[in-house]
Amino acid sequence: MAHLRRQLITAALAANAVRPVRSMRAGIPSFAAGWLTTELAPQLLALTAADTLVSTVRGRTSRWGRLLALGNAAALTALVTQGSRSGDAVAAVLDSDLGADWTERADPRPTKADLATPWRSVATPFRLRDRAIKVVRDLSYGPAGKRNLLDVYLPSGPRAEPAPVLLQVHGGGWTIGNKNQQALPLMHRMAAKGWVCVAINYRLSPRDAMPAHIIDVKLAIKWIRENIAEYGGDPDYIAITGGSAGGHLSALAALTPNAPEYQPGFEEADTTLQVAVPHYGVYDMAGSTGLRSAELLRDAFLAPRVFKTTWAAHPEVFEQASPILRITPEAPDFFVLHGTNDTLVPVEQGRLFVDRLRAVSKQSVVYSELPGTQHAFDVFVSVRSAHVVRAVERYLVWHRNRFRANRVSAADRESAHQPHS
């Protein structure tokens, strides 16, 4: 009956992946099981088939075990199919939010190979070896020792002009995490395509309370402005991305350019960013949306662990750190991604943040809500993350090309207004 027990476990995992448990206590284990099951569905499907075949040949299964295995295979196949459609889903929102002709600036246009699922990479999801890039590790950008180190991902080939820069901010609930653990598929992809990517550590709670985290992000932007040219990067074009707590910090950094409260001792530094691509971020630290989940997160976790104060005592520090409350008409372009099955940061936060951006910002706002997707879907290579990474790449190339064209047009206009001798 060992086969039957294994299939019962697989059935429970598949059921949780399709319909995760949503509560403060159960959210974390539901996330862990659902995330791995959803993103590793091809591998789990193969294991289910192999287990059933071997058990049947050896006479160690039952009719119920085989029927359950068949149902599991169907559920896992549906998860794989859903992941493979993520590329089409993201492409559809890009067409809708940017206009059908946006691809004319996303040069070069993607080939069929670019749009196909890279099954060879999916087969080894945790193995990232790319000769097209090189990594310079553990450069210091601030005074906080190991927590103020960064890595620079570089294209290995020659570059004809300064490369656009992508800053990656890791997640981990503001309390754990490291620069070499997250968004590796995206950074490898962008570096291989000629970008310079920077991944940072930052100070963590509870040792350091908010706003230490965002101050370090700002300090890293200052370092990029002053030093990235040495590594072939363009200091005038910086995109930012991150997931979860990194999504919060990347959105907050983008919405608070040159904010003196987050730049103590370096108030004069230019910390503006050209575009932000937050993934499954926390956008409401103050409970201002009225979402019960946001209020529970604020009172049960953020207040004692991250801010080290209470909402009642200092509501202003929670409000200052809430991206949804820092949106202005001058906000940069945003591409926001969130999964509908996220049990750690409910998708409603992403929806409300985007609604507010669209109501206030003068710039473009793209929102991709990924069906059946859990938190942290982009940490390693999966069917879904491969498609999403390629879509983010196309979006960032479009944005960079548009930025460059606008800069040339501005220079031409300025030249035309100069007096001629």
Side-chain angles (χ1 to χ4, degrees):
M1 289 298 166
H3 174 260
L4 178 59
R5 287 195 295 270
R6 289 193 293 271
Q7 294 309 310
L8 286 169
I9 293 171
T10 302
L13 291 172
N16 176 69
V18 173
R19 194 177 293 275
V21 180
R22 301 177 186 275
S23 70
M24 191 71 179
R25 287 187 176 183
I28 293 176
S30 179
F31 146 69
W35 163 53
L36 292 173
T37 302
T38 302
E39 301 309 319
L40 295 176
Q43 289 83 352
L44 192 54
L45 176 60
L47 287 173
T48 297
D51 181 30
T52 302
L53 177 61
V54 171
S55 297
T56 300
V57 170
R58 293 179 177 178
R60 296 178 181 177
T61 186
S62 65
R63 178 174 175 238
W64 290 112
R66 291 191 295 271
L67 288 173
L68 191 55
L70 184 62
N72 289 338
L76 292 169
T77 299
L79 290 175
V80 174
T81 301
Q82 188 176 63
S84 67
R85 291 174 178 169
S86 297
D88 293 335
V90 180
V93 299
L94 288 168
D95 288 345
S96 173
D97 293 342
L98 299 180
D101 61 345
W102 76 276
T103 54
E104 294 179 5
R105 291 198 179 190
D107 184 50
R109 293 190 179 186
T111 65
K112 288 184 178 180
D114 288 327
L115 298 176
T117 301
W119 290 107
R120 183 175 298 180
S121 298
V122 170
T124 54
F126 304 103
R127 184 180 180 183
L128 280 170
R129 294 181 182 179
D130 195 336
R131 295 180 180 179
I133 71 168
K134 57 182 179 180
V135 185
V136 181
R137 298 194 183 277
D138 295 333
L139 299 174
S140 176
Y141 72 88
K146 292 181 179 179
R147 297 315 308 176
N148 279 170
L149 296 179
L150 58 81
D151 296 340
V152 180
Y153 291 71
L154 301 166
S156 60
R159 295 182 293 280
E161 60 181 353
V165 180
L166 177 64
L167 171 59
Q168 153 66 20
V169 185
H170 72 76
W174 305 272
T175 61
I176 59 173
N178 195 280
K179 57 185 167 56
N180 59 3
Q181 295 173 342
Q182 299 175 24
L184 296 179
L186 176 61
M187 288 191 292
H188 278 244
R189 176 80 177 182
M190 298 308 297
K193 293 294 183 177
W195 287 54
V196 172
C197 300
V198 178
I200 65 168
N201 284 340
Y202 53 87
R203 284 174 290 170
L204 300 172
S205 297
R207 177 175 177 174
D208 293 288
M210 187 71 73
H213 321 70
I214 185 63
I215 290 172
D216 285 355
V217 175
K218 298 281 191 172
L219 197 59
I221 297 170
K222 175 179 180 290
W223 184 94
I224 291 171
R225 291 259 186 246
E226 296 174 351
N227 297 277
I228 206 65
E230 298 177 21
Y231 299 90
D234 180 358
D236 293 329
Y237 184 90
I238 306 174
I240 193 168
T241 188
S244 195
H248 160 259
L249 292 169
S250 61
L252 186 60
L255 293 167
T256 56
N258 309 324
E261 67 270 25
Y262 293 151
Q263 297 182 204
F266 59 103
E267 292 87 353
E268 77 292 343
D270 179 9
T271 58
T272 57
L273 296 161
Q274 278 58 61
V275 61
V277 189
H279 294 49
Y280 43 88
V282 179
Y283 307 112
D284 179 14
M285 306 284 274
S288 63
T289 58
L291 293 173
R292 182 58 180 157
S293 58
E295 294 172 347
L296 287 172
L297 180 67
R298 179 195 69 196
D299 296 334
F301 179 74
L302 294 176
R305 294 281 293 174
V306 179
F307 288 89
K308 299 176 75 172
T309 187
T310 64
W311 162 253
H314 294 288
E316 71 281 357
V317 299
F318 293 83
E319 292 171 346
Q320 282 184 338
S322 294
I324 198 168
L325 298 178
R326 303 300 296 261
I327 299 170
T328 68
E330 290 70 40
D333 298 289
F334 265 83
F335 182 10
V336 181
L337 299 103
H338 217 112
T340 61
N341 279 10
D342 195 321
T343 56
L344 296 187
V345 184
V347 69
E348 287 78 13
Q349 282 218 26
R351 292 171 183 168
L352 292 173
F353 178 63
V354 168
D355 287 346
R356 182 65 179 164
L357 273 173
R358 287 174 170 165
V360 176
S361 174
K362 296 178 181 177
Q363 307 303 320
S364 67
V365 180
V366 179
Y367 178 51
S368 181
E369 191 169 291
L370 301 168
T373 304
Q374 255 289 2
H375 204 74
F377 63 85
D378 61 329
V379 171
F380 53 82
V381 179
S382 68
V383 173
R384 177 178 288 101
S385 71
H387 284 296
V388 172
V389 161
R390 290 172 174 185
V392 170
E393 177 219 330
R394 294 196 298 275
Y395 169 82
L396 286 174
V397 170
W398 165 82
H399 190 275
R400 164 65 169 174
N401 289 344
R402 190 186 68 160
F403 173 85
R404 188 162 45 186
N406 291 342
R407 186 161 58 177
V408 170
S409 297
D412 290 343
R413 288 194 299 271
E414 183 177 349
S415 176
H417 285 87
Q418 292 294 328
H420 296 284
S421 57

